[in-house]
């Protein structure tokens, strides 16, 4: 079965959830993978291209998660083994310089995933995100000289979407009950677990900050940990 509706339209999301329940008698797993690209550097990005990418990715996830969450809440089954599997991207996690709209949307999905994991755990739902690395119709729109791994031979199957399926299958299974609110990476023949954001260092004052004292403490405590751009697979694309 398929539905050609606009995934960012909430009516489409509800229709898809209702269709699954009507057809199979229940809903156990929701996978959100729809997406588009409108790549440009931030100084050249049109308003319409920003809005379109944010809408499809973020509202597209919301449109299906909301009715699925309502359905699972109605079940009142803390042992339901229900699953939400969202798709994020290394573009968000590592800052692709030519994809500000896509990176923002995909980082938003990580926040959305964490939120619904915390909100829905009592109803037997886990929610996790996957950052995939694969050659698809989506990545086919990227110019060849901008693609990561563009030097791989055409016969190399490490970029096949088939390599992402096993971790999706695992997350959809009852065996993954222990994992929720996390971001995984899957590319080639490897799977990674990303850290959730965490505090690396902190400073404090006994009262309102004196700007010069604040500057001294920031330099002393933060600079050794954070000077310069963070390491990224996109460093070769950063303008010099």
């Amino acid at each position: 079965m398929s539905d050609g509706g606009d995934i960012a339209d909430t009516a489409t999301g509800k229709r898809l959830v209702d269709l699954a329940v009507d057809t199979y008698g229940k809903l156990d797993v929701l996978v959100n993978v729809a997406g588009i690209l409108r790549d440009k550097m931030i100084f050249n990005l049109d308003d319409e291209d920003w809005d379109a990418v944010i809408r499809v990715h973020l509202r597209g996830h919301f449109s299906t998660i909301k009715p699925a969450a309502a359905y699972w809440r109605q079940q009142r089954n803390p042992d339901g083994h229900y699953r939400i599997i969202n798709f994020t991207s290394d573009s968000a996690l590592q800052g692709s310089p030519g994809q500000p709209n896509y990176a923002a949307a995909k980082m938003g999905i990580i926040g959305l995933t964490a939120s619904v994991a915390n909100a829905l755990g009592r109803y037997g739902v886990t929610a996790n995100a996957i950052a995939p690395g694969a050659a698809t119709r989506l990545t086919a729109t990227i110019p060849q000289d901008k693609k990561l791994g563009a030097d791989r031979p055409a016969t190399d199957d490490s970029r096949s979407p088939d390599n992402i399926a096993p971790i999706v299958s695992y997350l959809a299974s009852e065996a993954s009950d222990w994992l929720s609110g996390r971001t995984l990476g899957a590319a080639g023949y490897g799977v990674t677990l990303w850290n959730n954001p965490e505090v690396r260092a902190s400073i404090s004052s006994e009262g309102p900050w004196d700007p010069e004292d604040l500057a001294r403490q920031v330099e002393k405590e933060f600079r050794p940990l954070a000077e310069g751009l963070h390491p990224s697979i996109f460093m070769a694309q950063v303008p010099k």
Side-chain angles (χ1 to χ4, degrees):
M1 293 180 296
S2 62
D3 188 306
D6 177 359
I7 193 58
D9 184 340
T10 53
T12 300
K14 187 175 189 308
R15 189 169 64 246
L16 288 167
V17 169
D18 290 344
L19 177 61
V21 174
D22 292 343
T23 302
Y24 301 108
K26 60 177 182 175
L27 175 68
D28 294 306
V29 180
L30 170 64
V31 179
N32 286 308
V33 73
I36 61 170
L37 293 178
R38 298 289 187 273
D39 292 358
K40 286 185 180 178
M41 299 295 287
I42 188 67
F43 41 76
N44 288 327
L45 186 63
D46 296 331
D47 294 354
E48 295 78 7
D49 288 340
W50 173 272
D51 291 342
V53 169
I54 297 296
R55 183 176 182 274
V56 169
H57 289 273
L58 266 180
R59 189 164 179 173
H61 277 59
F62 166 73
S63 78
T64 57
I65 290 174
K66 180 181 177 179
Y71 168 79
W72 288 323
R73 182 171 179 264
Q74 290 174 353
Q75 306 311 301
R76 303 289 179 180
N77 182 7
D79 299 316
H81 310 292
Y82 306 126
R83 304 286 183 257
I84 296 172
I85 303 170
N86 295 328
F87 272 64
T88 182
S89 174
D90 282 341
S91 178
L93 292 161
Q94 304 202 50
S96 173
Q99 298 181 311
N101 46 1
Y102 185 70
K106 288 303 193 180
M107 189 59 83
I109 288 168
I110 292 175
L112 175 62
T113 301
S115 176
V116 298
N118 289 335
L120 302 179
R122 72 182 72 178
Y123 305 115
V125 181
T126 67
N128 292 286
I130 297 173
T136 66
R137 287 178 297 170
L138 187 71
T139 62
T141 65
I142 302 173
Q144 189 66 20
D145 63 337
K146 300 296 184 182
K147 291 182 180 179
L148 295 177
D151 55 344
R152 292 191 180 98
T155 55
D156 179 12
D157 67 353
S158 67
R159 298 286 292 175
S160 170
D162 291 345
N163 297 319
I164 314 302
I167 191 59
V168 175
S169 179
Y170 175 77
L171 291 178
S173 74
E174 293 186 9
S176 70
D177 272 342
W178 60 275
L179 185 65
S180 192
R182 303 290 179 168
T183 298
L184 304 177
Y189 311 121
V191 176
T192 55
L193 173 65
W194 283 85
N195 271 341
N196 282 21
E198 57 187 20
V199 175
R200 294 192 63 192
S202 63
I203 57 176
S204 62
S205 172
E206 293 181 357
W209 280 105
D210 172 77
E212 291 185 359
D213 183 45
L214 173 63
R216 282 192 298 269
Q217 291 201 45
V218 167
E219 291 272 339
K220 177 184 176 182
E221 302 296 335
F222 295 173
R223 188 169 182 173
L225 301 174
E227 185 169 8
L229 296 173
H230 64 81
S232 168
I233 60 175
F234 298 106
M235 291 308 294
Q237 298 178 4
V238 175
K240 305 299 183 184

